[in-house]
Amino acid sequence: MRFARFAAVAAALLATAAVAQPDRVAMEPANPWHQKAREIYARAISIPTVQGRGRMTELANYLQEQFRAGGLTDVTVRPYDVTLPDDHTAALTLRWPAARPSGRKAILLMAHMDVVDARREDWSREPFELGAADGYFYGRGTADDKQGVVAITMALLRLRAEGFAPDRDILVLFTGDEETGGDGARLAANEWFDVATIDFALNADAGGGAYLADGTPLGFGIQTAEKVYQDFTFTATNPGGHSSRPRPDNAIYALAHTLERLERYRFEPMQNETTRAMLADRVRNAEPPLAAAIRAWLANPNDGAAADVIEASPTEVGLTRTRCVATMLSGGHAPNALPQQAQANVNCRMFPGHDPARVLAILREIAGPDNVAVEPVREARPADASPLREDVVGAFTAEIHARHPGVAIVPQMSTGATDGLYFRNRGVPVYGVESGWGISPTDERAHGRDERNPQRSFYENIDHWVGMIRRLAGPAR
Ligand SMILES: [Zn+2]
């Protein structure tokens, strides 16, 4: 998962007063820390940590060496098996014990080492080699999420070298299957760490900012919530028969009718602290009809018609409620036979706090008239939105504004899922606080072709994490 969602802005707004153009010229490392960060980045990008290629341990071992060489010695490489695809991978965990214990619980810094696959023939350059051109770094993972891995690593190495004395334990988790499963995060939240000792987590796989090509800042997001992923199978069964003698009951038609009802169905609109802040921010630059709907719904959460207008906007879809959509379909066993079975996969993204049992009950109501059976695939991991804590939001705002004065800071709910879900599920608040930014939409290439990260964004993100850790794990300031 990667890239904060900032809706494209109405053209009329682009004529607003001149704003600082983000500098995208090539940058040389400003100091030895940046130099070292670039070196670690290059190595990390060169290892194709794609699920199934068996290279995760290599990256984890390399990072472990870096930490140890820098004096952070309580670091463990943890091989683990993953559910899908059938494979094994590795995670890295680290503990930097408090030098001056304040009694505050630990903070956890998290990122993921795995990347989505990339084929040379699909790219204009070698995907698993750090490229530098036009003020950008290129390569698979330059944005999602090796910039996060490198920033956390480099920030800790720098702080340690400079004699920083944390007043609480600092924990690190780099997982090896975020893109494909999340088993590393699940194991970490349930077995590797005692979550009772963790105050909150900072996730480098979410947050971040966006600019338009002309330099207009769209804002920087701090991710505090994500929707909950859950698949369901819809199965219609039937005794079948010879296709020369059609009957009113038919598995394919039964499923089709159910899916038509599902297509039209809308769950009850929901709001939380984060989506309210997110939508309030959207009023700044939404087209008038959308802005009016947002104002109406924020003023009256029972105004379902206004929520429907917001949900129908392609830029806001998914923000107002649980959404379910048919994603796969199969059925029948012969061209000349009445089908004995038809099945669809329905993928739901549940609003935080929406009870999965309630969602299942509604889906069963929708399927009931056609006797279509609805079953959940794997167990859902419900997770509430994390509260907008003053200390974390304050630290994020201060660090972003140090490098991007005056930009809007916007709490965000992702409609996709990250590793953070597993910690929220266990009661640990998680904040996506990456500072990496790009030009919207041209730089939104995570998982795609020619993934890239502005060089300035990369170096700034190192300093951002140094600042975040100082503020949140250092003596009160
Ligand atoms: Zn990611």
Side-chain angles (χ1 to χ4, degrees), residues 164-431:
F164 176 69
D167 73 352
R168 61 192 344 180
D169 284 7
I170 297 173
L171 306 171
V172 174
L173 171 66
F174 294 157
T175 56
D177 71 323
E178 191 275 343
E179 299 289 4
T180 48
D183 284 309
R186 180 180 55 78
L187 288 165
N190 290 279
E191 295 175 23
W192 300 340
F193 293 122
D194 174 3
V195 291
T197 66
I198 302 175
D199 191 7
F200 59 85
L202 301 178
N203 188 358
D205 193 30
Y211 281 86
L212 292 179
D214 71 350
T216 307
L218 297 181
F220 277 68
I222 173 167
Q223 188 239 43
T224 58
E226 47 196 271
K227 292 182 90 177
V228 178
Y229 184 107
Q230 177 73 65
D231 287 311
F232 295 90
T233 52
F234 280 49
T235 310
T237 48
N238 188 283
H242 201 285
S243 62
S244 64
R245 306 179 62 178
R247 294 192 310 271
D249 60 301
N250 175 298
I252 290 176
Y253 293 151
L255 182 64
H257 298 150
T258 295
L259 294 179
E260 279 187 335
R261 285 194 296 278
L262 177 75
E263 181 187 6
R264 287 192 301 271
Y265 183 78
R266 290 293 174 269
F267 286 88
E268 190 187 338
M270 299 172 81
Q271 301 180 354
N272 61 31
E273 185 186 25
T274 290
T275 59
R276 289 181 67 84
M278 211 172 161
L279 287 167
D281 176 73
R282 278 289 286 134
V283 171
R284 272 192 302 137
N285 50 29
E287 299 277 4
L290 177 59
I294 292 174
R295 281 198 198 92
W297 193 43
L298 291 179
N300 176 14
N302 296 318
D303 186 346
D308 289 350
V309 171
I310 300 166
E311 186 67 25
S313 156
T315 51
E316 316 308 310
V317 63
L319 289 184
T320 73
R321 68 198 75 196
T322 295
R323 289 300 299 265
C324 297
V325 63
T327 53
M328 291 172 77
L329 190 62
S330 64
H333 55 284
N336 58 353
L338 295 173
Q340 288 181 272
Q341 194 186 77
Q343 193 172 64
N345 185 81
V346 171
N347 179 238
C348 293
R349 306 296 176 122
M350 297 184 286
F351 199 89
H354 204 177
D355 181 1
R358 178 74 193 127
V359 174
L360 175 60
I362 291 170
L363 295 178
R364 283 184 170 153
E365 269 173 46
I366 293 170
D370 288 296
N371 285 318
V372 169
V374 180
E375 292 298 335
V377 180
R378 298 173 87 178
E379 194 189 346
R381 295 187 175 272
D384 289 336
S386 301
L388 292 172
R389 284 174 60 136
E390 234 177 272
D391 53 351
V392 179
V393 177
F396 182 75
T397 304
E399 287 302 320
I400 294 296
H401 282 168
R403 284 166 279 275
H404 302 263
V407 296
I409 304 293
V410 189
Q412 295 202 314
M413 177 176 76
S414 307
T415 47
T418 72
D419 279 345
L421 184 65
Y422 295 87
F423 286 90
R424 289 200 185 99
N425 173 259
R426 300 277 281 129
V428 177
V430 181
Y431 301 92

Side-chain angles (χ1 to χ4, degrees), residues 29-41 137 146-159 399 403 433-437 453-470:
N31 56 49
W33 307 111
H34 286 182
Q35 178 67 48
K36 180 71 179 168
R38 182 173 175 160
E39 203 180 294
I40 297 175
Y41 201 33
F137 286 124
K146 286 175 175 172
Q147 73 164 327
V149 168
V150 175
I152 290 173
T153 303
M154 205 55 239
L156 293 177
L157 290 174
R158 175 172 183 169
L159 287 164
E399 287 302 320
R403 284 166 279 275
V433 295
E434 187 79 334
S435 81
W437 50 267
N453 185 13
Q455 293 181 6
R456 184 176 143 200
S457 158
F458 171 74
Y459 292 123
E460 282 181 354
N461 195 39
I462 312 291
D463 302 340
H464 170 80
W465 278 89
V466 170
M468 290 293 290
I469 298 164
R470 270 191 200 287

Side-chain angles (χ1 to χ4, degrees), residues 1-2 112 144-145 178-179 205:
M1 176 62 200
R2 177 91 215 132
H112 66 88
D144 184 13
D145 180 30
E178 191 275 343
E179 299 289 4
D205 193 30

